[in-house]
Amino acid sequence: MMIPKDYDSNSVTMTANNLLLLMANDLAEYIDKEMTRKQGVQWLATLKETNYAYRDFNLKDPAALLKDLARNGSSQIRQALNSRIERGFLKNYYDDINVLLGERNVWIHRQVQETTAELLDLVTTIVRVATPLGLGLLAECTAVKDSILKPLEDTISEVIMVPIPQPEAEKIAEIPAKIEEVPEVSPTPDIQISLSEIVEISANDSFEVGDAVTDRLLSHSYVLHLNGEIRNRATDEVLTEANPQSAEKLGALLIVRKPSGGRLRITEEGYLCAFFGDKWGYLATVNASEWFPDHLTNSTTKTEKGR
């Protein structure tokens, strides 16, 4: 894989798509090798003959592969991975694969900000999935990371005691050396939100929950925890600390609409999105005054429903 020397929007997109393709290829090869070791070289043909759900399954189709691993609790190919993942990490691991499926979607449809910060965030997600399996593309991930960070480090080393401001969109996520559990967030004590309050908040909706959102997504990304807490992935800051006035009601609404929690993204208009099936879909609308400081610039007037 060619590693760019300089990154513009096109080279960022090409690099992201190449990494996603390599990830899918390496993962498919790993699964094929493990399943062959366990069941013999005809394992896939046998699976297609004996299990109707896999009749048309294509191991080399990235979307089909990731979807089966992430969302099929009775997946027949998870057994190739489970022995390499500690039992206590299995849920987190398959959640990471689901996140990777969602990230693949936004890159393919070019809904993402084509910046090096977004590329590094994708690399981080890939590394979390690839590291426990020792996949070959980890070398490419390291090369991409170094090609982006090394010039910055060299520049910084030449400037003594002069801070270099970094715009929010270019904040760089660190790549973990190994897969780790998502930091625990203490349950929000006694969240009190009535049905009437949920109805009141819902009246501001711009779309139906789950409707496809095709707008460009901002570089910020978040995690919705099962207790309704919302965490900024870049800083680990939670909304109850950043904006306690709106955090509890908003978190309660979001977890009602997306009980499984997971990755959230947001558009410039303040449309919060979650990954539904094969698309990023509408979850709620928020204003700058209700959200993390400096993440939005939209006004305090909600977008009219149906726009």
Side-chain angles (χ1 to χ4, degrees), residues 22-91:
L22 281 174
M23 175 67 204
N25 287 342
D26 283 4
L27 185 58
E29 288 178 4
Y30 179 89
I31 290 171
D32 183 54
K33 180 179 178 181
E34 285 297 302
M35 294 298 287
T36 297
R37 183 177 64 82
K38 292 173 180 289
Q39 300 181 11
V41 294
Q42 294 298 316
W43 73 269
L44 185 55
T46 302
L47 179 61
K48 290 183 176 183
E49 291 175 1
T50 58
N51 191 319
Y52 182 82
Y54 286 89
R55 183 183 62 176
D56 299 318
F57 181 73
N58 182 359
L59 185 65
K60 295 184 178 181
D61 179 345
L65 174 61
L66 294 175
K67 191 182 300 182
D68 186 77
L69 289 170
R71 299 179 182 171
N72 183 2
S74 58
S75 169
Q76 297 300 299
I77 60 176
R78 280 190 178 186
Q79 58 182 292
L81 310 183
N82 288 349
S83 61
R84 293 294 298 271
I85 312 299
E86 292 183 25
R87 190 174 184 83
F89 289 95
L90 282 173
K91 182 183 183 304

Side-chain angles (χ1 to χ4, degrees), residues 153-283:
E153 293 171 355
D154 291 343
T155 300
I156 292 172
S157 66
E158 295 173 1
V159 182
I160 302 176
M161 301 300 290
V162 177
I164 301 177
Q166 297 289 329
E168 183 69 24
E170 293 295 326
K171 283 188 176 178
I172 297 170
E174 294 184 358
I175 297 177
K178 61 179 180 179
I179 185 170
E180 297 177 350
E181 288 188 279
V182 175
E184 288 291 332
V185 177
S186 300
T188 305
D190 300 324
I191 292 180
Q192 300 293 331
I193 180 168
S194 66
L195 179 60
S196 62
E197 287 175 311
I198 290 180
V199 171
E200 180 182 354
I201 298 172
S202 300
N204 295 312
D205 285 338
S206 303
F207 306 97
E208 296 295 326
V209 174
D211 281 355
V213 174
T214 58
D215 295 0
R216 182 66 67 94
L217 303 174
L218 297 180
S219 290
H220 309 294
S221 66
Y222 316 91
V223 174
L224 173 62
H225 291 274
L226 297 182
N227 62 1
E229 188 67 272
I230 303 162
R231 177 171 59 86
N232 179 0
R233 291 183 65 248
T235 64
D236 277 338
E237 183 181 27
V238 290
L239 191 61
T240 48
E241 297 173 353
N243 201 333
Q245 292 81 6
S246 63
E248 291 190 359
K249 291 182 181 180
L250 182 58
L253 174 68
L254 296 184
I255 207 65
V256 166
R257 293 180 169 184
K258 195 72 164 57
S260 60
R263 179 78 66 93
L264 302 178
R265 281 186 171 270
I266 197 165
T267 70
E268 186 176 357
E269 294 80 6
Y271 302 150
L272 273 175
C273 309
F275 199 59
F276 292 91
D278 297 320
K279 65 182 185 300
W280 284 90
Y282 177 82
L283 199 58

